[in-house]
Coordinates of all heavy atoms in Angstrom, one line a residue:
A1378 N 0.9 -1.2 0.0 CA 0.0 0.0 0.0 C 0.9 1.3 0.0 O 1.8 1.3 0.6 CB -1.0 0.0 1.3
G1379 N 0.4 2.2 -0.8 CA 1.2 3.4 -0.8 C 2.3 3.5 -1.8 O 3.1 4.5 -1.9
E1380 N 2.7 2.3 -2.3 CA 4.0 2.3 -3.2 C 3.6 2.6 -4.6 O 2.5 2.3 -5.0 CB 4.6 0.9 -3.0 CG 5.0 0.4 -1.7 CD 6.3 1.4 -1.3 OE1 7.2 1.7 -2.2 OE2 6.4 1.8 -0.2
R1381 N 4.5 3.1 -5.3 CA 4.2 3.5 -6.7 C 4.4 2.1 -7.6 O 5.5 1.4 -7.3 CB 5.0 4.6 -7.2 CG 4.6 5.9 -6.7 CD 5.2 6.9 -7.7 NE 4.8 8.2 -7.0 CZ 3.7 8.9 -7.4 NH1 3.0 8.4 -8.2 NH2 3.5 10.1 -6.8
L1382 N 3.6 1.8 -8.5 CA 3.7 0.7 -9.5 C 4.6 1.0 -10.5 O 4.6 2.2 -10.9 CB 2.5 0.2 -9.9 CG 1.5 -0.4 -8.9 CD1 0.1 -0.7 -9.5 CD2 2.2 -1.8 -8.4
P1383 N 5.5 0.2 -11.1 CA 6.2 0.5 -12.4 C 5.3 0.8 -13.6 O 4.0 0.3 -13.4 CB 7.0 -0.8 -12.7 CG 6.3 -1.9 -12.0 CD 5.7 -1.2 -10.7
D1384 N 5.5 1.7 -14.4 CA 4.7 2.0 -15.5 C 4.8 1.0 -16.5 O 5.2 1.1 -17.6 CB 5.2 3.4 -16.2 CG 4.1 3.9 -17.1 OD1 2.9 3.5 -17.0 OD2 4.5 4.8 -17.9
I1385 N 4.0 -0.2 -16.2 CA 4.0 -1.1 -17.1 C 2.9 -0.9 -18.3 O 1.9 -0.1 -18.1 CB 3.7 -2.5 -16.5 CG1 2.3 -2.5 -15.8 CG2 4.7 -2.9 -15.6 CD1 1.8 -3.7 -15.2
A1386 N 3.2 -1.4 -19.4 CA 2.1 -1.3 -20.5 C 1.2 -2.3 -20.5 O 1.4 -3.6 -20.5 CB 2.9 -1.4 -21.9
L1387 N -0.1 -1.9 -20.5 CA -1.2 -2.8 -20.5 C -1.9 -2.5 -21.9 O -1.9 -1.6 -22.6 CB -2.3 -2.3 -19.4 CG -1.9 -2.3 -18.1 CD1 -2.8 -1.6 -17.2 CD2 -1.4 -3.6 -17.6
L1388 N -2.6 -3.7 -22.2 CA -3.3 -3.6 -23.5 C -4.8 -3.5 -23.3 O -5.4 -4.4 -22.7 CB -3.1 -5.0 -24.4 CG -3.4 -5.1 -25.8 CD1 -2.7 -3.9 -26.7 CD2 -3.0 -6.4 -26.5
A1389 N -5.5 -2.4 -23.8 CA -6.8 -2.3 -23.6 C -7.5 -3.1 -24.5 O -6.9 -3.6 -25.6 CB -7.1 -0.8 -24.0
L1390 N -8.7 -3.4 -24.2 CA -9.6 -4.4 -25.1 C -9.8 -4.0 -26.6 O -10.1 -4.8 -27.4 CB -10.9 -4.7 -24.4 CG -10.8 -5.3 -22.9 CD1 -12.3 -5.6 -22.5 CD2 -9.9 -6.4 -22.9
D1391 N -9.6 -2.6 -26.7 CA -9.8 -2.1 -28.2 C -8.2 -2.1 -28.9 O -8.2 -1.6 -30.0 CB -10.2 -0.8 -28.2 CG -9.4 0.3 -27.4 OD1 -8.3 0.0 -27.1 OD2 -9.9 1.5 -27.4
G1392 N -7.3 -2.8 -28.2 CA -6.0 -2.9 -28.8 C -5.0 -1.8 -28.6 O -3.9 -1.9 -28.8
R1393 N -5.4 -0.8 -27.9 CA -4.5 0.4 -27.5 C -3.6 0.0 -26.4 O -4.0 -0.7 -25.5 CB -5.3 1.7 -27.0 CG -6.1 2.4 -28.0 CD -6.9 3.5 -27.4 NE -7.8 3.0 -26.3 CZ -7.7 3.3 -25.0 NH1 -6.8 4.1 -24.4 NH2 -8.6 2.8 -24.1
S1394 N -2.4 0.6 -26.5 CA -1.5 0.2 -25.5 C -1.6 1.4 -24.4 O -1.6 2.6 -24.8 CB 0.0 0.3 -26.0 OG 0.9 0.1 -24.8
V1395 N -1.7 1.0 -23.1 CA -2.0 2.1 -22.0 C -0.9 1.8 -21.0 O -0.8 0.8 -20.5 CB -3.4 1.8 -21.4 CG1 -3.6 2.9 -20.3 CG2 -4.6 2.0 -22.6
G1396 N -0.3 3.0 -20.7 CA 0.7 2.9 -19.7 C 0.0 3.1 -18.2 O -0.9 3.8 -18.0
L1397 N 0.4 2.2 -17.3 CA -0.3 2.2 -16.1 C -0.2 3.6 -15.3 O -1.2 3.9 -14.7 CB 0.5 1.2 -15.1 CG -0.3 0.9 -13.9 CD1 -1.7 0.4 -14.0 CD2 0.5 -0.3 -13.0
A1398 N 0.8 4.3 -15.6 CA 0.9 5.6 -15.0 C -0.1 6.5 -15.5 O -0.5 7.5 -14.9 CB 2.4 6.1 -15.3
S1399 N -0.6 6.4 -16.7 CA -1.7 7.1 -17.3 C -2.9 7.1 -16.5 O -3.9 7.8 -16.7 CB -1.9 7.0 -18.8 OG -2.5 5.7 -18.9
L1400 N -3.2 5.9 -15.7 CA -4.3 5.7 -15.0 C -4.2 6.4 -13.6 O -5.0 6.2 -12.8 CB -4.7 4.3 -14.9 CG -4.7 3.5 -16.2 CD1 -4.9 2.0 -15.9 CD2 -5.8 4.1 -17.0
A1401 N -3.1 6.9 -13.2 CA -2.9 7.5 -11.9 C -3.7 8.6 -11.6 O -4.3 9.3 -12.5 CB -1.3 7.8 -11.8
G1402 N -3.9 9.0 -10.5 CA -4.6 10.1 -10.1 C -5.4 9.9 -8.7 O -5.6 10.8 -7.9
T1403 N -5.7 8.7 -8.5 CA -6.5 8.4 -7.3 C -5.9 7.0 -6.8 O -5.3 6.3 -7.6 CB -8.1 8.1 -7.6 OG1 -8.2 7.0 -8.5 CG2 -8.7 9.4 -8.0
P1404 N -6.1 6.6 -5.6 CA -5.7 5.3 -5.2 C -6.3 4.2 -6.1 O -7.3 4.4 -6.7 CB -6.2 5.1 -3.8 CG -6.4 6.6 -3.4 CD -6.8 7.3 -4.4
M1405 N -5.6 3.3 -6.3 CA -5.9 2.2 -7.2 C -5.9 0.8 -6.7 O -5.1 0.4 -6.0 CB -4.9 2.2 -8.4 CG -5.2 1.2 -9.6 SD -4.1 1.1 -11.0 CE -4.1 2.8 -11.5
V1406 N -7.1 0.1 -7.1 CA -7.1 -1.4 -6.9 C -6.8 -1.9 -8.1 O -7.5 -2.0 -9.0 CB -8.5 -1.9 -6.4 CG1 -8.6 -3.3 -6.3 CG2 -8.8 -1.0 -5.1
L1407 N -5.7 -2.7 -8.2 CA -5.2 -3.4 -9.5 C -5.5 -4.9 -9.1 O -4.8 -5.6 -8.4 CB -3.7 -3.1 -9.7 CG -3.1 -3.7 -11.0 CD1 -3.9 -3.2 -12.1 CD2 -1.7 -3.5 -11.1
N1408 N -6.6 -5.4 -9.8 CA -6.8 -6.8 -9.7 C -6.4 -7.6 -10.9 O -6.9 -7.5 -12.0 CB -8.4 -7.0 -9.6 CG -8.9 -8.4 -9.3 OD1 -8.3 -9.0 -8.6 ND2 -10.0 -8.7 -10.0
V1409 N -5.4 -8.6 -10.7 CA -4.9 -9.4 -11.6 C -5.8 -10.7 -11.5 O -5.9 -11.3 -10.5 CB -3.5 -9.8 -11.5 CG1 -3.0 -10.7 -12.6 CG2 -2.7 -8.4 -11.6
W1410 N -6.4 -11.1 -12.6 CA -7.3 -12.1 -12.6 C -7.3 -13.0 -13.8 O -6.7 -12.5 -14.9 CB -8.7 -11.7 -12.3 CG -9.2 -10.9 -13.5 CD1 -8.9 -9.5 -13.8 CD2 -10.3 -11.2 -14.5 NE1 -9.6 -9.3 -14.9 CE2 -10.5 -10.2 -15.3 CE3 -11.0 -12.4 -14.6 CZ2 -11.4 -10.3 -16.4 CZ3 -12.0 -12.5 -15.6 CH2 -12.1 -11.3 -16.5
A1411 N -8.1 -14.0 -13.9 CA -8.3 -14.8 -15.3 C -9.7 -15.4 -15.2 O -10.3 -15.8 -14.1 CB -7.3 -16.0 -15.3
S1412 N -10.3 -15.6 -16.4 CA -11.7 -16.1 -16.4 C -11.7 -17.5 -16.1 O -12.8 -18.0 -15.7 CB -12.2 -15.9 -17.9 OG -11.5 -16.7 -18.8
T1413 N -10.7 -18.2 -16.0 CA -10.5 -19.6 -15.6 C -10.4 -19.8 -14.3 O -10.4 -21.0 -13.7 CB -9.5 -20.3 -16.3 OG1 -8.2 -19.6 -16.0 CG2 -9.5 -20.3 -17.9
C1414 N -10.2 -18.7 -13.4 CA -10.1 -18.8 -12.0 C -11.5 -18.6 -11.4 O -12.1 -17.5 -11.5 CB -9.0 -17.7 -11.6 SG -9.0 -17.3 -9.7
A1415 N -12.2 -19.5 -10.6 CA -13.5 -19.5 -10.1 C -13.4 -18.3 -9.0 O -14.4 -17.5 -9.0 CB -13.9 -20.8 -9.6
P1416 N -12.4 -18.3 -8.2 CA -12.5 -17.2 -7.1 C -12.4 -15.9 -7.7 O -13.0 -14.8 -7.1 CB -11.3 -17.4 -6.2 CG -11.1 -18.9 -6.2 CD -11.4 -19.2 -7.7
C1417 N -11.6 -15.6 -8.8 CA -11.5 -14.4 -9.4 C -12.9 -14.1 -10.0 O -13.4 -12.8 -9.9 CB -10.5 -14.5 -10.7 SG -8.7 -14.8 -10.1
R1418 N -13.6 -14.9 -10.7 CA -14.9 -14.6 -11.3 C -15.9 -14.3 -10.2 O -16.7 -13.3 -10.3 CB -15.4 -15.9 -12.0 CG -14.6 -16.0 -13.4 CD -15.4 -17.2 -14.3 NE -15.7 -18.3 -13.6 CZ -15.1 -19.4 -13.4 NH1 -13.8 -19.5 -14.0 NH2 -15.6 -20.6 -12.7
A1419 N -15.9 -15.1 -9.0 CA -16.8 -14.9 -7.9 C -16.6 -13.4 -7.3 O -17.5 -12.9 -6.7 CB -16.5 -15.8 -6.8
E1420 N -15.4 -12.9 -7.3 CA -15.1 -11.6 -6.5 C -15.5 -10.3 -7.4 O -15.6 -9.2 -7.0 CB -13.7 -11.5 -6.1 CG -12.7 -11.2 -7.3 CD -11.2 -11.2 -6.8 OE1 -11.0 -11.4 -5.6 OE2 -10.3 -11.2 -7.7
M1421 N -15.8 -10.6 -8.8 CA -16.0 -9.5 -9.6 C -17.1 -8.6 -9.3 O -17.1 -7.5 -9.4 CB -15.8 -9.9 -11.1 CG -14.5 -10.3 -11.5 SD -14.2 -10.6 -13.2 CE -13.8 -8.9 -13.8
P1422 N -18.3 -9.2 -8.9 CA -19.4 -8.4 -8.6 C -19.1 -7.5 -7.4 O -19.6 -6.3 -7.4 CB -20.5 -9.3 -8.3 CG -20.2 -10.6 -9.1 CD -18.7 -10.6 -9.1
A1423 N -18.4 -8.1 -6.4 CA -17.9 -7.2 -5.3 C -17.0 -6.0 -5.7 O -17.1 -4.8 -5.3 CB -17.3 -8.0 -4.1
L1424 N -16.1 -6.3 -6.6 CA -15.2 -5.3 -7.1 C -16.0 -4.2 -7.8 O -15.7 -3.1 -7.7 CB -14.1 -5.8 -7.9 CG -13.0 -6.6 -7.4 CD1 -12.0 -7.4 -8.2 CD2 -12.2 -5.5 -6.4
Q1425 N -17.0 -4.7 -8.6 CA -17.9 -3.6 -9.4 C -18.6 -2.8 -8.5 O -18.7 -1.6 -8.6 CB -18.8 -4.4 -10.4 CG -19.7 -3.4 -11.1 CD -18.9 -2.5 -12.0 OE1 -18.1 -3.0 -12.8 NE2 -18.9 -1.2 -11.9
H1426 N -19.3 -3.4 -7.4 CA -19.9 -2.6 -6.4 C -18.9 -1.6 -5.7 O -19.3 -0.5 -5.6 CB -20.5 -3.6 -5.4 CG -21.2 -2.9 -4.2 ND1 -22.4 -2.3 -4.3 CD2 -20.8 -2.5 -2.9 CE1 -22.8 -1.6 -3.2 NE2 -21.8 -1.8 -2.4
F1427 N -17.7 -2.0 -5.4 CA -16.7 -1.1 -4.8 C -16.4 -0.1 -5.7 O -16.4 1.2 -5.4 CB -15.4 -1.9 -4.4 CG -14.5 -1.2 -3.9 CD1 -14.3 -1.0 -2.5 CD2 -13.4 -0.6 -4.6 CE1 -13.3 -0.1 -1.9 CE2 -12.4 0.1 -4.1 CZ -12.3 0.4 -2.7
A1428 N -16.2 -0.4 -7.0 CA -15.9 0.7 -8.0 C -17.0 1.6 -8.1 O -16.7 2.9 -8.3 CB -15.6 0.0 -9.4
D1429 N -18.1 1.3 -8.1 CA -19.4 2.1 -8.2 C -19.4 3.0 -6.9 O -19.6 4.2 -7.1 CB -20.7 1.4 -8.2 CG -20.8 0.6 -9.7 OD1 -20.1 1.0 -10.6 OD2 -21.6 -0.4 -9.7
E1430 N -19.2 2.3 -5.9 CA -19.4 3.2 -4.5 C -18.3 4.2 -4.3 O -18.6 5.3 -3.8 CB -19.4 2.3 -3.3 CG -19.6 2.9 -2.1 CD -19.8 1.8 -0.9 OE1 -20.2 0.7 -1.2 OE2 -19.5 2.3 0.3
F1431 N -17.1 4.0 -4.8 CA -16.0 4.7 -4.6 C -15.5 5.5 -5.9 O -14.4 6.0 -5.9 CB -14.8 4.1 -4.0 CG -15.0 3.7 -2.5 CD1 -15.6 2.5 -2.3 CD2 -15.0 4.5 -1.5 CE1 -15.9 2.0 -1.0 CE2 -15.4 4.2 -0.3 CZ -15.8 3.0 0.0
A1432 N -16.4 5.5 -6.9 CA -16.1 6.2 -8.2 C -15.6 7.6 -7.9 O -16.1 8.3 -7.2 CB -17.3 6.1 -9.0
G1433 N -14.5 8.0 -8.6 CA -13.9 9.3 -8.5 C -12.9 9.4 -7.2 O -12.1 10.4 -7.2
R1434 N -12.9 8.4 -6.3 CA -12.1 8.6 -5.3 C -11.0 7.3 -5.3 O -9.9 7.4 -4.8 CB -12.8 8.4 -3.9 CG -13.7 9.7 -3.6 CD -14.4 9.6 -2.5 NE -15.5 8.7 -2.7 CZ -16.3 8.1 -1.8 NH1 -16.0 8.4 -0.6 NH2 -17.3 7.3 -2.1
V1435 N -11.4 6.3 -5.9 CA -10.5 5.0 -6.2 C -10.8 4.4 -7.6 O -11.9 4.4 -8.0 CB -11.0 3.9 -5.1 CG1 -10.2 2.7 -5.3 CG2 -10.7 4.5 -3.6
T1436 N -9.7 4.0 -8.2 CA -9.9 3.5 -9.4 C -9.7 2.0 -9.4 O -8.6 1.6 -8.8 CB -8.8 4.0 -10.4 OG1 -8.9 5.5 -10.5 CG2 -8.8 3.5 -11.7
V1437 N -10.6 1.2 -9.9 CA -10.5 -0.2 -9.9 C -10.1 -0.6 -11.4 O -10.8 -0.1 -12.4 CB -11.8 -0.9 -9.6 CG1 -11.7 -2.3 -9.7 CG2 -12.1 -0.6 -8.1
V1438 N -9.0 -1.3 -11.6 CA -8.5 -1.8 -12.8 C -8.4 -3.4 -12.8 O -7.9 -3.9 -11.9 CB -7.3 -1.1 -13.2 CG1 -6.6 -1.7 -14.4 CG2 -7.4 0.3 -13.3
G1439 N -8.9 -4.0 -13.8 CA -8.8 -5.5 -13.8 C -7.7 -5.8 -15.1 O -7.8 -5.3 -16.0
V1440 N -6.9 -6.7 -14.8 CA -5.8 -7.1 -15.8 C -5.9 -8.7 -15.8 O -5.7 -9.3 -14.9 CB -4.4 -6.8 -15.4 CG1 -3.4 -7.3 -16.4 CG2 -4.4 -5.3 -15.1
D1441 N -6.3 -9.2 -17.0 CA -6.2 -10.6 -17.4 C -5.4 -10.8 -18.4 O -5.8 -10.6 -19.6 CB -7.8 -10.9 -17.6 CG -7.8 -12.5 -18.2 OD1 -6.8 -13.1 -18.3 OD2 -8.9 -13.0 -18.3
P1442 N -4.2 -11.3 -18.2 CA -3.2 -11.4 -19.3 C -3.5 -12.8 -20.1 O -2.7 -12.9 -21.1 CB -1.9 -11.5 -18.6 CG -2.2 -12.1 -17.2 CD -3.5 -11.6 -16.8
L1443 N -4.3 -13.6 -19.7 CA -4.5 -14.9 -20.4 C -5.6 -15.0 -21.4 O -5.5 -15.8 -22.4 CB -4.8 -15.9 -19.3 CG -3.8 -16.1 -18.2 CD1 -4.3 -17.2 -17.3 CD2 -2.4 -16.5 -18.7
D1444 N -6.7 -14.2 -21.3 CA -7.8 -14.4 -22.2 C -7.7 -13.3 -23.3 O -7.1 -12.2 -23.2 CB -9.1 -14.1 -21.4 CG -9.3 -15.2 -20.4 OD1 -9.5 -16.3 -21.0 OD2 -9.5 -14.9 -19.2
D1445 N -8.4 -13.5 -24.5 CA -8.4 -12.6 -25.5 C -9.4 -11.6 -25.3 O -10.4 -11.6 -24.5 CB -8.4 -13.2 -26.9 CG -9.8 -13.9 -27.2 OD1 -10.8 -13.4 -26.6 OD2 -9.8 -14.7 -28.0
A1446 N -9.3 -10.4 -26.0 CA -10.1 -9.2 -25.8 C -11.6 -9.5 -26.0 O -12.5 -9.0 -25.1 CB -9.7 -8.1 -26.7
S1447 N -12.1 -10.4 -27.1 CA -13.5 -10.7 -27.2 C -14.0 -11.5 -26.2 O -15.1 -11.1 -25.7 CB -13.7 -11.3 -28.5 OG -12.9 -12.5 -28.7
D1448 N -13.3 -12.4 -25.7 CA -13.7 -13.3 -24.4 C -13.8 -12.2 -23.2 O -14.8 -12.4 -22.5 CB -12.8 -14.4 -24.2 CG -12.9 -15.4 -25.1 OD1 -13.8 -15.5 -25.9 OD2 -11.8 -16.2 -25.3
L1449 N -12.9 -11.4 -22.9 CA -13.0 -10.6 -21.8 C -14.3 -9.4 -22.0 O -14.9 -9.3 -21.0 CB -11.7 -9.6 -21.7 CG -10.5 -10.4 -21.3 CD1 -9.2 -9.3 -21.2 CD2 -10.8 -10.9 -19.8
Q1450 N -14.5 -9.0 -23.2 CA -15.7 -8.2 -23.4 C -16.9 -8.9 -23.0 O -17.7 -8.4 -22.5 CB -15.6 -7.5 -24.7 CG -14.5 -6.5 -25.0 CD -14.4 -6.1 -26.4 OE1 -14.6 -6.9 -27.3 NE2 -14.1 -4.8 -26.6
A1451 N -17.0 -10.1 -23.5 CA -18.2 -10.9 -23.3 C -18.4 -11.2 -22.0 O -19.5 -11.1 -21.4 CB -18.2 -12.2 -24.2
F1452 N -17.4 -11.6 -21.2 CA -17.4 -11.9 -19.9 C -17.8 -10.6 -19.0 O -18.8 -10.7 -18.2 CB -16.1 -12.4 -19.3 CG -16.2 -12.6 -17.8 CD1 -16.7 -13.9 -17.3 CD2 -15.7 -11.8 -16.9 CE1 -16.7 -14.2 -16.0 CE2 -15.7 -12.1 -15.5 CZ -16.3 -13.3 -15.1
A1453 N -17.3 -9.5 -19.3 CA -17.6 -8.3 -18.6 C -19.0 -7.9 -18.8 O -19.8 -7.5 -17.8 CB -16.7 -7.0 -19.0
A1454 N -19.6 -8.1 -20.0 CA -21.0 -7.8 -20.3 C -21.9 -8.8 -19.5 O -22.9 -8.3 -19.0 CB -21.2 -7.8 -21.8
R1455 N -21.5 -10.0 -19.5 CA -22.3 -11.1 -18.8 C -22.4 -10.8 -17.4 O -23.5 -10.9 -16.7 CB -21.8 -12.3 -19.1 CG -22.6 -13.6 -18.7 CD -22.2 -14.8 -19.2 NE -20.9 -15.3 -18.7 CZ -19.7 -15.4 -19.6 NH1 -19.9 -14.9 -20.8 NH2 -18.6 -15.7 -19.0
V1456 N -21.3 -10.4 -16.7 CA -21.4 -10.1 -15.2 C -21.6 -8.8 -14.8 O -21.7 -8.4 -13.7 CB -20.2 -10.7 -14.5 CG1 -20.0 -12.2 -14.8 CG2 -18.8 -10.1 -15.0
G1457 N -21.7 -7.8 -15.9 CA -21.9 -6.4 -15.5 C -20.9 -5.6 -15.1 O -20.9 -4.6 -14.3
V1458 N -19.6 -6.0 -15.4 CA -18.3 -5.2 -15.0 C -18.2 -4.0 -16.0 O -18.3 -4.2 -17.1 CB -17.1 -6.1 -15.1 CG1 -15.8 -5.4 -14.9 CG2 -17.2 -7.3 -14.0
T1459 N -18.1 -2.8 -15.4 CA -17.9 -1.7 -16.1 C -16.6 -1.0 -15.9 O -16.3 0.0 -16.7 CB -19.0 -0.7 -15.9 OG1 -19.0 -0.3 -14.7 CG2 -20.5 -1.3 -16.4
Y1460 N -15.9 -1.4 -14.8 CA -14.5 -0.9 -14.7 C -13.5 -1.3 -15.7 O -13.8 -2.3 -16.4 CB -14.0 -1.1 -13.2 CG -13.8 -2.5 -12.8 CD1 -12.7 -3.3 -13.2 CD2 -14.8 -3.2 -12.0 CE1 -12.6 -4.5 -12.7 CE2 -14.7 -4.4 -11.7 CZ -13.6 -5.1 -12.0 OH -13.4 -6.4 -11.6
P1461 N -12.5 -0.7 -16.0 CA -11.6 -0.9 -17.0 C -11.0 -2.3 -16.9 O -10.4 -2.5 -16.0 CB -10.5 0.2 -17.0 CG -11.1 1.3 -16.2 CD -12.1 0.6 -15.4
L1462 N -10.9 -3.0 -18.0 CA -10.2 -4.2 -18.2 C -9.3 -4.3 -19.1 O -9.4 -3.6 -20.2 CB -11.2 -5.4 -18.5 CG -12.4 -5.8 -17.5 CD1 -13.3 -6.8 -18.0 CD2 -11.9 -6.1 -16.1
Y1463 N -8.0 -4.8 -18.9 CA -6.8 -4.9 -19.8 C -6.3 -6.2 -19.8 O -6.6 -7.0 -19.0 CB -5.8 -3.9 -19.3 CG -6.2 -2.3 -19.1 CD1 -6.8 -1.9 -17.9 CD2 -6.2 -1.6 -20.2 CE1 -7.2 -0.5 -18.0 CE2 -6.5 -0.2 -20.3 CZ -7.2 0.2 -19.1 OH -7.6 1.6 -19.1
R1464 N -5.5 -6.4 -20.8 CA -4.7 -7.7 -21.0 C -3.3 -7.4 -20.8 O -2.8 -6.4 -20.9 CB -5.0 -8.2 -22.3 CG -6.5 -8.4 -22.7 CD -6.7 -9.1 -24.1 NE -5.6 -9.9 -24.4 CZ -5.0 -9.7 -25.7 NH1 -5.5 -8.9 -26.4 NH2 -4.2 -10.7 -26.1

């Protein structure tokens, strides 16, 4: 907590490269997950609720390096996740 993350490059679902530093500005919850991980899938509604409740004060970001963009978009739509997801 309180430490700066390195400015790693994330791949947005639309194919853009996004530097982690460009998302800075508020405290961040960086959730690394995979659609094949049952506990990861189970926690996503709680993370979405947290993101909604603390919008503007905390940024929630999901990173799934294993799945492709179309699968991530379909999964996010199915479970109602609106916070940013990256690969």
Side-chain angles (χ1 to χ4, degrees):
E1380 296 295 320
R1381 291 198 181 271
L1382 292 170
D1384 189 20
I1385 59 174
L1387 302 173
L1388 189 59
L1390 300 186
D1391 64 5
R1393 293 177 297 116
S1394 180
V1395 177
L1397 189 58
S1399 71
L1400 305 174
T1403 62
M1405 181 183 297
V1406 174
L1407 182 64
N1408 183 43
V1409 179
W1410 67 287
S1412 67
T1413 57
C1414 168
C1417 299
R1418 291 189 314 268
E1420 74 186 359
M1421 291 191 86
L1424 284 169
Q1425 182 62 56
H1426 178 75
F1427 180 86
D1429 293 340
E1430 185 173 337
F1431 292 95
R1434 295 177 284 164
V1435 176
T1436 301
V1437 176
V1438 174
V1440 178
D1441 176 349
L1443 301 178
D1444 292 300
D1445 68 28
S1447 62
D1448 289 343
L1449 290 175
Q1450 288 170 328
F1452 179 80
R1455 189 170 60 251
V1456 298
V1458 169
T1459 61
Y1460 58 82
L1462 296 176
Y1463 298 94
R1464 302 182 32 232

